[in-house]
Amino acid sequence: LKVLKANGLITVKHAKGMFVTRLKRKKTGRILFLGHTGDFNLAPVHAAFASGLRAGCSGQGLQLLLEHHDGKPGKELTVVRDLWVREQIDGVVLWECKDIKMRTRRFLKEHSIPFVLAPEIGNVPAEDCHRVTVEEAHVLDDALEHLVHLGHDRIGFVMLKSTETAHYYEVRYQNYCEGMARSGLKTLPAWRVPASSAITSTPALMKKIHSVSAILCCTGRVASALSTLCLREGIRVPGDLSLVGYDNSSISEALEMTSLDPQNWKIGELAVKLLIGEIEGKLEEPTHKSTYPRLVVRGSTAAPSFS
């Protein structure tokens, strides 16, 4: 029994006995994080999530392997299948492709491979799998309350022209609409901007900016791009316009940007705990863990300077 336990083939549940682990083979001490991209400069959410995974693995004496699938379902499945067949990993934390067939998820289930799903991007919610996610239901409430408390009553919402993460942006816009209605304020149509680090100044866009005193942005990159645009156009932030971003990335900190922090590092740690529980056979039912975004107030928000 000592040998089996040392090799990770059995686990002990206090007062319940010994059980065969999900692996049914010697542990490698390595888990895989398979995400959308390897360039964390372009994916601050991935970067924060991976940071939490590393911390969770370090605390458990595990090694974290980082791979990416570039949004390609075929590559996603190939990476998982190759590493599992070669017995290079004990389990998978998967940030899925937008794949309606969910081939990788089916492969993991069919081969009884321990896995945890990271927040879905456009996929069907995984009620039958272990998963971690950010609670998006009232994600902007704290930011809206902060702006209203400062005295803002003309608040706009800017989102990206993106199909890959459109679901998230639509949820946040809906939350914006509900929050504005609760505060008795006028809801404005969402402004859609290109998914790039630069936003071009146009008469139409400048007219919209001058019509509000504060803007909620769907991501930190959008907030930083708007901040740069304001600098070029002589609009003071926060003197003339208050900005709030989302993701609380390093660029938000560098720009002193008020931002909503989804605490992706925290759900990274939760994902490791869930995966270890699944590997050791301790989870009998699908388990879901989530975090709630917190508002980090910095220098991009202040009371409006005009009525």
Side-chain angles (χ1 to χ4, degrees):
L1 290 176
K2 288 181 179 179
V3 172
L4 292 173
K5 186 177 179 181
N7 287 326
L9 297 173
I10 62 172
T11 186
V12 178
K13 293 184 181 180
H14 182 66
K16 291 186 178 181
M18 295 186 176
F19 300 84
V20 178
T21 65
R22 297 277 191 256
L23 291 178
K24 300 182 178 63
R25 69 186 192 194
K26 185 175 180 178
K27 288 183 179 179
T28 67
R30 290 187 294 270
I31 64 173
L32 167 68
F33 170 48
L34 183 57
H36 282 251
T37 177
D39 187 352
F40 287 163
N41 291 322
L42 298 177
V45 170
H46 269 53
F49 187 68
S51 177
L53 290 174
R54 289 192 188 95
C57 287
S58 177
Q60 297 294 327
L62 299 174
Q63 180 182 351
L64 179 67
L65 301 183
L66 298 175
E67 296 286 349
H68 58 94
H69 49 63
D70 299 318
K72 301 173 183 177
K75 182 178 180 181
E76 177 187 79
L77 179 57
T78 298
V79 170
V80 170
R81 183 166 49 200
D82 181 57
L83 290 172
W84 180 254
V85 170
R86 292 194 289 117
E87 299 188 8
Q88 297 293 306
I89 54 175
D90 296 332
V92 181
V93 177
L94 176 64
W95 207 313
E96 288 184 297
C97 292
K98 188 177 180 181
D99 178 17
I100 59 174
K101 296 182 180 179
M102 295 180 287
R103 288 171 284 182
T104 303
R105 194 189 297 184
R106 290 207 312 269
F107 175 83
L108 291 165
K109 287 183 176 181
E110 289 170 359
H111 292 81
S112 300
I113 302 172
F115 74 99
V116 173
L117 293 178
E120 298 90 357
I121 295 184
N123 279 354
V124 178
E127 299 300 330
D128 59 340
C129 304
H130 305 302
R131 65 182 174 94
V132 292
T133 191
V134 177
E135 179 55 60
E136 291 272 346
H138 300 285
V139 67
L140 298 182
D141 284 6
D142 290 345
L144 277 170
E145 183 178 337
H146 169 65
L147 292 173
V148 171
H149 178 74
L150 288 173
H152 294 279
D153 56 7
R154 291 172 290 167
I155 305 171
F157 184 87
V158 178
M159 62 194 297
L160 290 172
K161 295 177 181 177
S162 171
T163 57
E164 181 66 21
T165 50
H167 169 69
Y168 284 136
Y169 305 152
E170 292 296 342
V171 169
R172 290 169 197 166
Y173 178 65
Q174 183 61 37
N175 184 220
Y176 156 82
C177 295
E178 293 169 356
M180 293 288 281
R182 282 195 299 271
S183 298
L185 301 177
K186 181 181 178 180
T187 299
L188 301 175
W191 310 345
R192 299 176 186 271
V193 297
S196 67
S197 58
I199 296 178
T200 303
S201 174
T202 64
L205 179 58
M206 296 311 299
K207 182 179 179 180
K208 290 178 180 178
I209 290 176
H210 286 298
S211 71
V212 298
S213 63
I215 297 176
L216 290 171
C217 304
C218 65
T219 69
R221 289 178 65 194
V222 170
S224 65
L226 276 177
S227 179
T228 301
L229 174 64
C230 288
L231 181 64
R232 292 200 307 264
E233 296 294 329
I235 299 172
R236 298 173 302 158
V237 176
D240 301 321
L241 181 72
S242 286
L243 291 176
V244 178
Y246 182 94
D247 66 30
N248 197 37
S249 63
S250 57
I251 192 169
S252 298
E253 185 175 358
L255 293 175
E256 276 293 302
M257 186 72 62
T258 296
S259 183
L260 283 155
D261 182 358
Q263 302 190 78
N264 281 289
W265 59 270
K266 184 175 181 180
I267 58 171
E269 290 187 328
L270 291 174
V272 173
K273 291 180 180 178
L274 277 182
L275 187 57
I276 291 173
E278 172 65 3
I279 290 171
E280 295 181 348
K282 296 178 180 178
L283 302 181
E284 298 178 358
E285 298 291 337
T287 304
H288 306 155
K289 298 289 185 180
S290 61
T291 60
Y292 187 84
R294 64 184 182 91
L295 182 66
V296 180
V297 179
R298 296 194 180 96
S300 66
T301 51
S305 61
F306 58 90
S307 60

